[in-house]
Amino acid sequence: MKTHEKIIQLLKTQGPLTAKILASELALTTMGVRQHVQGLEDSGDVVFKDEKAARGRPTRYWSLTDKGNSRFADRHDELTVQLLDSVITLFGDDGMEKLISHREETAMANYRLALADRFGVEEKLQMLAKIRSDEGYMATVEQHEGIYWLMENHCPICAAATKCLSFCRSELQMFQTLMSEVATVSREEHIIDGARRCAYKVTPA
């Protein structure tokens, strides 16, 4: 992976970062990173924002533009929306609900099987994150002060979810069901609402 691709990947998964942090992550000099992000700014993939520091000069944070984010977009978006329109036209809202329910049942069966021999919040979440990453969600697990977070930095079904919010309702319900014996799950950030990622708060029971 080329350096500029690594930078885009880091900004996608970690959000806005300084050149110093990027340099540390990539084992490069800060000056070298600045040259790369300048090129990415010229191409319209990144943009910067200067934030006031406690002392001294403002700190410059780099983040992805819509163009930069589009590198991760599902190229089948248009077809997906057309198919969903066709389902609604041919089978009505009930048909759409049946489609989503079938998808949920299939996914739930696969997830349950994968989590069957995993015990405790962290074990289950790590496996769930792996499955979700394999499905294209770029999922990670974080822990802060006893609370776990399942972060999904990309949504490969964004077009479908935008067209029909029940897709997202379905996923939240699946996570709640899968973790019901060990934790409660709530969605705190949502890509559909304009957030950079979907963030699920997982509180141990």
Side-chain angles (χ1 to χ4, degrees), residues 168-187:
C168 287
R169 177 211 69 200
S170 167
E171 295 195 336
L172 176 58
Q173 288 178 347
M174 280 197 297
F175 294 163
Q176 290 172 333
T177 301
L178 289 165
M179 301 298 294
S180 62
E181 294 182 359
V182 294
T184 57
V185 181
S186 61
R187 183 163 45 218

Side-chain angles (χ1 to χ4, degrees), residues 140-158:
T140 60
V141 176
E142 298 179 14
Q143 182 183 12
H144 303 286
E145 299 179 350
I147 302 296
Y148 290 90
W149 292 84
L150 176 66
M151 306 295 194
E152 295 187 338
N153 296 290
H154 180 56
C155 180
I157 64 161
C158 198

